[in-house]
Amino acid sequence: MEAIVLVGGQGTRLRPLTIGTPKPMLPAAGVPFLTHQLARARAAGVDHVVLATSYRAEVFAAHFGDGSSLGLRLDYVTEREALGTGGGIRNVADRLESAPGDPVLILNGDILSGHDIVAQVAAHRAARAAVTLHLVRVADARAFGSVPTDAEGRVTAFVEKSPEPVSDQVNAGCYVFSREVIDAIPAGRVVSVERETFPELLQSGRLIVGHVDDAYWLDVGNPAAYIKASADLVRGVIASPAVDLPGEAWLADGTEVVADAQVCGGASIGPGALVQAGARVDGSIVMTGAGIGADSHIVRSVVGRNAQIGAGCVLVDAVVGDGARIGAGNELAAGARIWPGITVPDVAIRFSSDI
Ligand code: GDD
Ligand code: MG
């Protein structure tokens, strides 16, 4: 089976981490996030993947090459200007080898999901659907495509990001398209599958099936979700064929964690990073070449490539961009984001809960 992965978004909500790195290439449990999706697709029987790229396209091929290390054949197609989700799918059509009627798997490139892809494809075939959507239930559907279904599981509407969602079932970002439906998307212009293709298919009476599933599911669109995804992968809360052994922490070869430092809660420490004495890194992502000073506490945070955190700092739910230097004794909390290359002097930022 073939798959298309949409990886052209700008990852705006993950800035500054996505200034230099596209969202699917951010490390999660030690490998680019996309690796987990590709490995899951492979395990579900996919052998050929086309990556629909736009933003920072060159980074993908430089890492994954021809895909053979993952047992896949990988193709890359780059949009000169972003074509949206539907435009991106249509733009790769000439790379597909599937015949009309064959199922093609399509994935948003920022979803961590434990759902059964094989069962979704089987449901698609059994219903002879035009499209089959993976759906999950959420408490607040406003940030998603809300997708009601009838008693037979047929999708009755698709309403993208509405203040008044029409269902608590949402589009989970994993589709099976019948090949000819891809070819019918208009070429050469911006198209949104969510706002245009799905509503139009429904209007013209085509069958869209909803495959509801309550397995692990996370849209890795903001720092909190990204940090959780990585920690869950490290600890095996969500299994990935790309993670060897689940545990409390993932340490790259060549990292140095001084004996009485503590690395826990699904934290990951990238190649060449250094965690000094008395420091605690809990549920956080410390990237390549970064340094954590003595006695610092890093909780549910990201420390970017080559960033340096001084001694005695506290970071909770914070993001420090690549190459930034945080002086000793600083406290960063509650969504703080430090831009790449910035230097924060010693004891310049404190976080107080009692004002
Ligand atoms: N090639 C290409 N070109 N890819 C794109 C483009 C583009 O112009 N725009 C976005 N993408 C990719 C992103 O990289 C991402 O992998 C995927 O399409 C979805 O874009 P997001 O920006 O992450 O959308 P979202 O999270 O706000 O909403 C989407 O996902 C939700 C589930 O997580 C929608 O599909 C919602 O309906 C859905 O509920
Ligand atoms: Mg998303």
Side-chain angles (χ1 to χ4, degrees), residues 49-238:
V49 175
V50 188
L51 291 186
T53 71
S54 169
Y55 177 69
R56 300 254 164 218
E58 67 289 351
V59 184
F60 293 95
H63 181 85
F64 290 109
D66 66 1
S68 52
S69 63
L70 289 165
L72 290 167
R73 277 186 301 125
L74 268 184
D75 269 329
Y76 304 85
V77 177
T78 304
E79 294 149 37
R80 238 170 294 141
E81 279 172 41
L83 291 171
T85 48
I89 294 168
R90 178 64 180 87
N91 192 48
V92 309
D94 66 354
R95 299 296 179 92
L96 297 174
E97 295 153 10
S98 302
D102 285 350
V104 177
L105 186 70
I106 302 182
L107 302 168
N108 283 356
D110 61 348
I111 298 296
L112 186 58
S113 172
H115 88 286
D116 186 343
I117 294 172
V118 174
Q120 183 181 349
V121 175
H124 176 86
R125 286 187 197 273
R128 297 174 174 273
V131 176
T132 299
L133 307 177
H134 175 213
L135 304 178
V136 292
R137 290 195 182 85
V138 297
D140 181 354
R142 288 176 298 178
F144 302 102
S146 78
V147 187
T149 46
D150 68 13
E152 275 77 51
R154 290 183 295 236
V155 170
T156 55
F158 193 111
V159 182
E160 180 70 4
K161 297 193 182 79
S162 158
E164 284 161 24
V166 292
S167 169
D168 66 347
Q169 285 176 172
V170 302
N171 170 25
C174 175
Y175 321 128
V176 183
F177 269 59
S178 193
R179 165 67 205 259
E180 74 283 357
V181 178
I182 295 173
D183 296 325
I185 297 172
R189 68 163 171 91
V190 175
V191 179
S192 159
V193 273
E194 296 89 345
R195 295 180 196 276
E196 203 173 329
T197 310
F198 296 146
E200 282 179 10
L201 285 169
L202 290 171
Q203 216 167 19
S204 60
R206 300 294 299 275
L207 175 60
I208 302 185
V209 166
H211 183 71
V212 187
D213 181 294
D214 59 3
Y216 183 103
W217 183 82
L218 191 60
D219 173 342
V220 182
N222 60 36
Y226 166 51
I227 291 163
K228 177 172 162 49
S230 181
D232 285 349
L233 284 160
V234 169
R235 292 189 300 150
V237 175
I238 166 86

Side-chain angles (χ1 to χ4, degrees), residues 11 82 238 287 300:
I238 166 86
M287 295 188 186
R300 293 187 307 272

